[in-house]
Amino acid sequence: MPSEDIKRKLIENTKKLLQERASITIKDIAEASYVNIAAVNYHFGSKENLMRIVLEEILDALKTYVTEKLIHVKDGKTFEEKLEMMINYLYNFSIENIGLLNYLFLSNELQKESASLLVNQFFTDNRFTRLVYQSLAESTKTLNEKELQSKYVLLFSSFSIPLFIQISQMKLQGSMKIELFKDPEFRQTYIKSIMKILS
């Protein structure tokens, strides 16, 4: 099998393993890919490098969804309707990628790198953040830079809440369950509250 095919197989199998469990080892990755541990190190240098690539790909897919399905689409949907679509998508994303989220936010292995990765992906001047800022400016009818920055942070925080609740449920059984986001009435109230803050 060509080297690039093996690398892709290792990446895809790592993604699948992270969907199934909260913690994976280099041995788990090697066994799922029918290669030895040395092959993982040969192609990526370390498990951490492989995980970094996997994280980048999954976050890129998330950004692509938001960009292509919600920002670029001129379908007549209101900002509130698009917000609901994003929250639904992020809820499903958190369910499907619970192991990844655990690794990203709770694991000590890549804590510094994962924090840096999140900042680079969502809080630096890049194509994605510019598109979100533009969409926010159009939806909230403001061009004030500081106001747009604060709205962006609030918006990002509101999307992150379902993910963080889901992650916390892996460690603690608190009184607020992620199931709240399955309740259409709660979701609508949640979105309306966000809209009040953003308007």
Side-chain angles (χ1 to χ4, degrees):
M1 185 181 287
S3 178
E4 283 306 309
D5 290 349
I6 294 170
K7 285 178 76 171
R8 178 46 46 193
K9 186 176 181 181
L10 287 164
I11 290 167
E12 293 306 321
N13 284 329
T14 302
K15 288 179 186 176
K16 285 179 192 167
L17 286 169
L18 284 171
Q19 288 178 345
E20 298 165 5
R21 55 186 100 157
S23 177
I24 61 172
T25 65
I26 195 167
K27 184 174 183 260
D28 295 330
I29 297 165
E31 286 178 358
S33 304
Y34 301 102
V35 298
N36 58 37
I37 291 172
V40 178
N41 289 324
Y42 173 77
H43 289 288
F44 296 98
S46 67
K47 177 189 169 192
E48 289 71 27
N49 286 338
L50 170 58
M51 293 301 291
R52 192 174 297 107
I53 290 167
V54 168
L55 294 176
E56 286 173 355
E57 285 194 6
I58 291 173
L59 290 176
D60 282 344
L62 178 63
K63 286 166 59 177
T64 299
Y65 173 85
V66 171
T67 303
E68 292 180 357
K69 304 288 184 192
L70 301 175
I71 295 176
H72 283 323
V73 175
K74 304 296 182 191
D75 53 8
K77 282 188 170 54
T78 65
F79 186 61
E80 189 170 321
E81 289 169 329
K82 289 188 176 189
L83 187 60
E84 183 173 12
M85 287 173 65
M86 283 191 202
I87 289 170
N88 287 334
Y89 178 79
L90 286 172
Y91 172 81
N92 292 328
F93 175 87
S94 69
I95 296 298
E96 291 169 11
N97 293 284
I98 197 63
L100 168 79
L101 297 173
N102 178 69
Y103 194 87
L104 188 58
F105 297 109
L106 301 177
S107 168
N108 291 326
E109 288 182 47
L110 274 182
Q111 210 162 52
K112 185 178 176 185
E113 289 86 349
S114 62
S116 175
L117 181 62
L118 285 172
V119 168
N120 287 337
Q121 295 269 353
F122 297 104
F123 289 98
T124 59
D125 181 26
N126 59 57
R127 181 177 173 270
F128 175 77
T129 55
R130 284 192 298 274
L131 283 169
V132 176
Y133 272 72
Q134 181 183 344
S135 181
L136 269 175
E138 291 168 4
S139 302
T140 61
K141 298 181 176 35
T142 183
L143 295 175
N144 182 288
E145 188 179 333
K146 294 297 178 195
E147 194 174 336
L148 283 171
Q149 286 172 338
S150 67
K151 288 179 189 297
Y152 178 83
V153 171
L154 284 167
L155 194 59
F156 184 85
S157 301
S158 70
F159 296 156
S160 303
I161 288 169
L163 284 82
F164 287 121
I165 293 173
Q166 181 69 22
I167 296 163
S168 69
Q169 288 302 106
M170 296 174 65
K171 296 289 178 185
L172 304 168
Q173 292 300 315
S175 58
M176 186 175 185
K177 306 280 189 188
I178 191 69
E179 280 75 20
L180 276 176
F181 290 92
K182 288 181 180 175
D183 178 353
E185 186 180 349
F186 172 81
R187 198 165 55 239
Q188 282 299 320
T189 304
Y190 179 70
I191 290 165
K192 280 182 173 38
S193 299
I194 294 167
M195 294 302 295
K196 282 180 188 174
I197 295 168
L198 291 176
S199 59

